[in-house]
Amino acid sequence: MHATHLLLEEPIRMASILEPSKTNFYSAMTRIVGTLGSKSRSVEVLSGCLKAGMSVARFDFSLGDAEYHQETLENLKIAVKATKKLCAVMLDTVGAELQVINKSESSISLKADELVVLTPNQDQEANSEILPISFDGLAKAVKKGDTIFMGQYLFTGSETTSVWLEVSEVKGADVVCVVKNSATLSGALFTLHVSQVHIDLPTLTEKDKEVIHTWGVKNSIDFLSLSYTRHAEDVREARQFLSTLGDIGQTQIFAKIENIEGLTHFDEILQEADGIILSRGNLGIDLPPEKVFLFQKAAVYKCNMAGKPAVVTRVVDSMTDNLRPTRAEATDVANAVLDGTDAILLGAETLRGFYPVETISIVGKICAEAEKVFNQDLYFKKTVKYVGEPMSHLESIASSAVRAAIKVKASIIICFTSSGRAARLIAKYRPTMPVLSVVIPRLKTNQLRWSFTGAFEVGPTARQSLIVRGLFPMLADPRHPAESTNSTNESVLKVALDHGKASGVIKSHDRVVVCQKVGDSSVVKIIELED
């Protein structure tokens, strides 16, 4: 990868743009989160998604029940074993989401300038004049002139499948609205979003807690995507709840920023969360269009400096129905990578889109091209300056490993880790080459079983690195525990090097930077491979 690394500041020969892209074992450093649903739940399609580059599977509990998602997950486990591609599991909560309930599921046509009533009376049948909603406090939250958006799934910005409403008056518990654009809605549920208005619903609902307690614990989820995170306290409460469940106490919490409240409290949320999801669907409605890119750049920068994964959503919506993204979407994906994004999250494109595998493949290719012109030198200097001096011991080791790897043009960085923290810190400095995180378990009992096949039983440390840009996990044999001697470290290193050679990342005479613990000391060493 390092050999093709360029800088955008350097003049790029136009002819070089036309040269075919070189294929690598690691197709892209940027990760892809795929939302699984109706068009992406068969073993065949899931195997295709994994091969195309999906490393995290998202299960959205706004749609489908626990039984439906369990069937999908069982198919994913089969696909993981068949492809030998590791995949993490993310549970996405419903949170403070407002929904329109359309029990009959018949299409509803709304015409511009006509009136429609939003009512908490769910016994009403949904039609073009009255729409029952899931929240009885809307009339208290809104006032005349407020803007309400409504659409199926999340908002794509399409003016034919989502509706813009303006509050005309409040009548008791009902809200009368003027329809601002004509559209036809279809399906059992539509999402309702009130622009820049606080909705008095808990971030983690009782329904969410039940799903986490049953489905989440049973399946040892790696990530909890906390929808509608508005304050740091939301993350603290979610973490406290997870800690009571024992088995998933290690689950990482990713705060989903979806409205102005979340944006306002971003810094404190970032401190508490393990990562951030920039939910540009809802947020793009709360913010004026010309402000969305500013939030993205500021938020990704803050995540980068904190060494916490930043995930961007809503990038190739048109691929829900089309085989190719628009030029603007392709550029948007590339710019997200250049901003420093760790992962791209695909929603409708893989959930109900016609081309889930092709979408993942194309997004991966765009990411790989953007990574070649990512200005790593500038990024490294900026990060070192931000961290300041004196650095912590681990931060110093991590930055030194990356600087050494770039100076000697290493093919790969190998990092021995048990908690995953050291590997994540190395990835924070965005090396131009992959970071192979050799996860060495701390054996507590003889019952713990690990395998090299990439099965789901490998524990969260390895899988949780699958959302971090440039970090690729490899599972060490548990007979080599984390507190090991130098000789066992050497044998684990040999296994890691063999893995790199077999996958085509390392070849004869390549240089490799190794970061490992020897006794109480952390060591960075450079090795040159022989024939």
Side-chain angles (χ1 to χ4, degrees), residues 193-426:
H193 183 87
V194 188
S195 183
Q196 300 191 26
V197 169
H198 173 76
I199 298 299
D200 193 18
L201 279 172
T203 301
L204 201 61
T205 65
E206 289 307 312
K207 182 186 171 188
D208 289 330
K209 287 180 180 177
E210 177 61 23
V211 166
I212 296 164
H213 188 245
T214 53
W215 195 90
V217 170
K218 176 184 175 183
N219 295 299
S220 303
I221 57 168
D222 302 298
F223 304 109
L224 181 72
S225 165
L226 193 61
S227 295
Y228 296 95
T229 303
R230 294 167 283 190
H231 303 271
E233 189 56 36
D234 296 339
V235 183
R236 283 192 285 270
E237 284 176 11
R239 204 177 296 287
Q240 173 60 33
F241 177 67
L242 289 178
S243 70
T244 66
L245 302 178
D247 287 350
I248 58 169
Q250 282 182 285
T251 295
Q252 290 188 351
I253 298 172
F254 274 56
K256 214 166 157 198
I257 308 299
E258 313 201 42
N259 54 27
I260 294 287
E261 271 185 282
L263 182 151
T264 308
H265 301 108
F266 185 86
D267 289 350
E268 63 186 66
I269 291 169
L270 177 60
Q271 257 189 315
E272 288 293 329
D274 296 300
I276 299 286
I277 297 173
L278 314 180
S279 184
R280 301 191 309 176
N282 284 345
L283 195 65
I285 290 164
D286 253 19
L287 284 173
E290 67 273 17
K291 299 284 189 182
V292 177
F293 86 97
L294 284 172
F295 169 71
Q296 177 175 316
K297 286 183 179 293
V300 170
Y301 172 77
K302 285 173 182 282
C303 289
N304 288 167
M305 295 304 108
K308 294 184 178 182
V311 183
V312 170
T313 70
R314 311 317 301 257
V315 287
V316 286
D317 287 330
S318 72
M319 287 197 76
T320 306
D321 302 305
N322 301 302
L323 198 48
R324 286 166 62 91
T326 65
R327 274 71 60 195
E329 287 172 336
T331 305
D332 187 28
V333 173
N335 279 325
V337 173
L338 296 174
D339 283 346
T341 299
D342 284 83
I344 302 291
L345 190 154
L346 302 172
E349 305 97 320
T350 52
L351 171 83
R352 60 187 173 90
F354 295 113
Y355 310 104
V357 176
E358 291 85 351
T359 303
I360 293 166
S361 176
I362 287 172
V363 168
K365 285 175 183 173
I366 298 167
C367 291
E369 288 297 319
E371 286 157 11
K372 291 176 189 174
V373 291
F374 179 72
N375 193 334
Q376 198 282 334
D377 188 52
L378 180 66
Y379 179 91
F380 186 92
K381 287 173 182 169
K382 194 167 59 176
T383 311
V384 168
K385 185 179 177 184
Y386 180 89
V387 171
E389 293 177 356
M391 276 186 175
S392 70
H393 177 75
L394 208 53
E395 192 104 34
S396 172
I397 290 290
S399 57
S400 298
V402 174
R403 177 48 90 210
I406 287 165
K407 290 284 187 191
V408 303
K409 290 187 163 49
S411 297
I412 197 167
I413 299 172
I414 296 176
C415 177
F416 290 74
T417 183
S418 52
S419 68
R421 187 163 166 246
R424 283 195 299 273
L425 265 181
I426 290 172

